[in-house]
Amino acid sequence: MDLKYSDEERAFADEVRAFARAELDPAVRDRVLNHKRLGKEDFLGWHRKLHSRGWVAPNWPTTYGGCGWNAVNRYIHEEVLAEEGAPPLVAFGVNMIGPVLIAFGSDAQKQYYLPRILSGEDWWCQGFSEPGSGSDLASLRTKAVLDGDHWVVTGQKTWTTLAQHANLIFCLVRTDASVKKQEGITMLLIDMNTPGVTVRPIITIDGEHEVNEVFFDDVRVPKENIVGEPGKGWTYAKFLLSHERSGIARVGQAKRELRRLKEIAAAEMVDGVPLIETKTFREKIAAVEIDLMALELTNLRMIAAEKSGQAPGAEANMLKIKGSEVQQNLTELLMEAVGPYALPFNPDALEPGWNGEPIGPEYAAPLAGTYFNYRKVSIYGGSNEIQRNILSKSLLGL
Amino acid sequence: MDFSLSETQRMLAETTDRLVRERYGFEDRKKILAGPDGFSRPMWATFAELGLTGLGIAEEHDGLGGTMGDMAVVAETFGRALVVEPYLPTLVLGAGPLGLAGSDAQKSEILPRVVSGELFLALAHGEPKSRYTLCHVDTKAAADGGDFLLTGAKAVVLGGDAADYFLVSARTDGTTSAPHGISLFLVPRSVPGLAIRAYPNIDGTRAADLVLDRVRVPASAVIGQAGHGLPTIAHTIDRAIAYLCAEAVGAMQALNALTLDYLKTRTQFGQPIGAFQVLQHRMVDMEMALEQARSMAILAADRADDPHPHERARAVSAAKVQIGRSGRMIGQCSVQMHGGIGITDEYAGGHYFKRLTLIDRTFGDADHHLARFAAAA
Ligand SMILES: Cc1cc2nc3c(=O)[nH]c(=O)nc-3n(C[C@H](O)[C@H](O)[C@H](O)COP(=O)(O)OP(=O)(O)OC[C@H]3O[C@@H](n4cnc5c(N)ncnc54)[C@H](O)[C@@H]3O)c2cc1C
């Protein structure tokens, strides 16, 4: 047994770190580290940098312009970039629809869409959830009927992350109501600019605009925009969700936030003593750090297994649950650290380039909002209850 | 032993309950928040008409008198409706210490105008570096002729956006954390040298940061005895915590009701989600958390005016710990069981979660009060 990275793996991590330090726009890095608002260009600028280095799609085979890396290098790449304060890669293209198209798409779709995902030309969003269909996704009701050369789509999607930036959406739609609910679902690729598509913002409790409702009113979608076969959408969606969950432990991001927590707790004073030196808070930080250590090693064990050819199974669900808990604990401690200055609401301070007078310490403004916002991580991508349901079946056979 | 409400309390409960039912629905509140002040002056006038602005104020100053237990009844209803008007700042944090320690002149100048609904007050005690430590006061009060010159900064002053008068703590003596040497001053809003930065809090209440630059006040502005302000401040903060505990109970009760209703009405997999046992157990835990919180809120209100500061501190801190923990648990679980809806601005649930979270950050979080309780034991 050897718990350390090999020399090559360490060299690779150094290479990724050096790249991030050289190429990441310091202003963007500052926004990520300080929880400021990220604009479309912040994501795309970094995406293009990664693209020019050939590092956008670690999980794609090289034939399609991916890196073709093994699980360990993929992990190193993702974690080091997150630790360095790079914006997260917008997952919907690279990690979601990309792998689905590679596995199930037509040649024409692969040729057209994959390069545009790599270059950042297309911004995809995910149209799965509906008002009546969240955990019970298979009950979805958005309907598509074939009419000559087009599917005619009617219905509503919701919680669609960053749809306001997207020009394309991959959707699960019902094309056959007469069969078992999972078997009547089809996956369609829809241009957001098609007449009849309407995007409406949903504002979350931190006052931010990150999710949307997307309405489809007799939207005509070319027949060939189907993925694979009709009625197979559920299978593709399950394939896709297993990819969505694999990066979800977010160890690199958690390390970055832990570092920040320590910085803030060192700056905050309690009765003349830095907060980080008070017993209670120090032990709270220690507890989350230990959770994070365990999570990282669990993640690495699972990656090592994957590298040696064992398919990820229950592991992804565990990483999702434990990862979400660590992230939520960190946002909570960050908020606690600033004491009364968690209260003021100053959304202007999150805007890039804002140079007004902060209320309290400069780092305080986003912290309560981030805590509220991060309740989402145990809800989206399959809630933690659903993950536990899956584990009790798949892991325990209950 | 008798846990039932007094006749006065029953009346207060009925009056406030009807008021918020008729005029303080979630949609009304949204409109109030979007208004120019972020709260409603007509609503405040109604509070005055109903006598609510006279609660806790002596009859000789036109008030209704009444105990912390009476105010807690109002607080609980206000918590259920997420009332944002500066009731806690004006009545408990402002009129409270004036009643406890103010001179006859101060009381007769200010209190009748609070009762009539004319004045808002705020306690400007916390400072940018004081966190939750009550004796941490850096603001200086320098004697100058017969006057005092106040210089320093005050942080997250609740109700500071609207206050017509501030009760400002400042040092007439001693070093930053000395318990002695703190004095409380009555300072009008428009006084030269006082800069007010008002802002909304993330839960819809409002506050301000103050900078005082040689603010001149006469010796008659001292509330109580110069240099002996801390006991009054500590007593006031304990009363405010008792108020917050009752408010939090109201918020928890409303949030539990919303959540339970959602469990019964939201269906997934062909059944109400309340049919899933993991959610049933969690909802039961939330109800237990509420009852534990309610018990301790009752205790806090009962002891908030205990003549023995030690007894008072123990009870109030214990209650604040319980409220912090229950509020956190109920808030987090409620959002989780609502799924995506739980974190949207247009749904009431998330606003209760925010208020409960910030109540834990106000006048000392659960950790702070756990330590205070342990030290007082
Ligand atoms: C910030 C955010 C971003 C999102 N982005 C996207 C996106 O881009 N695209 C997209 O398609 N979707 C997105 N989602 C939707 C997300 O996938 C759903 O919110 C999630 O599947 C839960 O569905 P729901 O919100 O309808 O909650 P519900 O399914 O109604 O669940 C409510 C509660 O019931 C519990 N529950 C449900 N079924 C069971 C069960 N069988 N056993 C035990 N408990 C159960 C849940 O765990 C939850 O606690 C996003 C959500 C959020 C919050």
Side-chain angles (χ1 to χ4, degrees), chain A residues 32-51:
Chain A
V32 171
L33 295 182
N34 297 305
H35 300 255
K36 302 240 169 91
R37 226 167 263 143
L38 291 176
K40 185 175 185 179
E41 260 317 301
D42 293 338
F43 290 104
L44 280 179
W46 177 238
H47 186 109
R48 286 192 286 264
K49 290 256 170 70
L50 286 172
H51 180 49

Side-chain angles (χ1 to χ4, degrees), chain A residues 92 126-129 134-135 158-161 210-211 376 379-381 383 385-386 389, chain B residues 266 268-269 273 276 278-279 336-340 343:
Chain A
F92 306 108
Q126 178 189 21
F128 283 12
S129 306
S135 299
T158 192
W159 313 123
T160 323
T161 300
E210 170 180 319
V211 287
K376 71 186 176 188
I379 296 170
Y380 66 29
S383 72
E385 287 78 14
I386 296 299
N389 285 350
Chain B
R266 169 72 171 172
Q268 289 288 275
F269 304 100
I273 56 174
F276 302 123
V278 63
L279 303 192
Q336 181 67 21
M337 299 208 287
H338 277 90
I343 61 161

Side-chain angles (χ1 to χ4, degrees), chain A residues 59-80:
Chain A
N59 54 335
W60 295 12
T62 45
T63 29
Y64 297 109
C67 305
W69 288 334
N70 65 30
V72 176
N73 280 9
R74 291 208 299 270
Y75 175 83
I76 290 174
H77 173 78
E78 191 171 328
E79 298 309 324
V80 171

Side-chain angles (χ1 to χ4, degrees), chain A residues 132 205 271 332 337 357 378, chain B residues 131 133 197 268 328 336 354:
Chain A
I205 47 176
D271 296 335
E332 190 167 10
E357 183 68 19
S378 52
Chain B
R131 203 176 175 84
T133 307
R197 173 161 191 205
Q268 289 288 275
R328 170 178 184 266
Q336 181 67 21
K354 289 202 280 188

Side-chain angles (χ1 to χ4, degrees), chain A residues 368-385:
Chain A
T370 306
Y371 165 68
F372 295 129
N373 180 284
Y374 263 59
R375 303 318 299 173
K376 71 186 176 188
V377 301
S378 52
I379 296 170
Y380 66 29
S383 72
N384 282 10
E385 287 78 14

Side-chain angles (χ1 to χ4, degrees), chain A residues 34-35 260 263-269 334 337-338 341 358-368, chain B residues 129:
Chain A
N34 297 305
H35 300 255
R260 181 147 184 79
E263 283 163 14
I264 291 177
E268 288 288 315
M269 302 295 282
L334 278 159
V338 291
Y341 273 118
I359 304 171
E362 200 162 353
Y363 47 72
L367 298 178
Chain B
K129 298 249 172 292

Side-chain angles (χ1 to χ4, degrees), chain B residues 195-340:
Chain B
I196 302 170
R197 173 161 191 205
Y199 48 80
N201 292 321
I202 197 165
D203 61 3
T205 61
R206 299 181 71 85
D209 277 14
L210 311 185
V211 176
L212 301 105
D213 181 14
R214 297 170 60 82
V215 168
R216 181 175 292 278
V217 291
S220 62
V222 177
I223 300 167
Q225 210 187 327
H228 292 83
L230 189 60
T232 305
I233 293 166
H235 186 177
T236 299
I237 299 292
D238 279 342
R239 299 178 88 241
I241 291 172
Y243 179 97
L244 282 175
C245 288
E247 185 190 340
V249 165
M252 288 183 224
Q253 190 192 340
L255 187 51
N256 274 3
L258 270 182
T259 310
L260 179 59
D261 188 57
Y262 198 72
L263 292 184
K264 290 177 178 168
T265 50
R266 169 72 171 172
T267 61
Q268 289 288 275
F269 304 100
Q271 49 197 319
I273 56 174
F276 302 123
Q277 202 162 51
V278 63
L279 303 192
Q280 292 171 352
H281 284 192
R282 204 174 297 163
M283 189 73 234
V284 169
D285 288 342
M286 288 161 70
E287 280 296 303
M288 292 195 287
L290 166 63
E291 290 311 321
Q292 296 279 79
R294 186 187 295 286
S295 302
M296 295 306 275
I298 292 171
L299 178 74
D302 188 65
R303 297 287 158 80
D305 288 311
D306 196 300
H308 304 290
H310 183 78
E311 284 304 308
R312 189 188 76 212
R314 254 174 74 82
V316 165
S317 280
K320 191 70 166 48
V321 171
Q322 179 65 53
I323 293 291
R325 292 183 171 172
S326 290
R328 170 178 184 266
M329 183 268 173
I330 287 173
Q332 291 183 353
C333 289
S334 169
V335 171
Q336 181 67 21
M337 299 208 287
H338 277 90

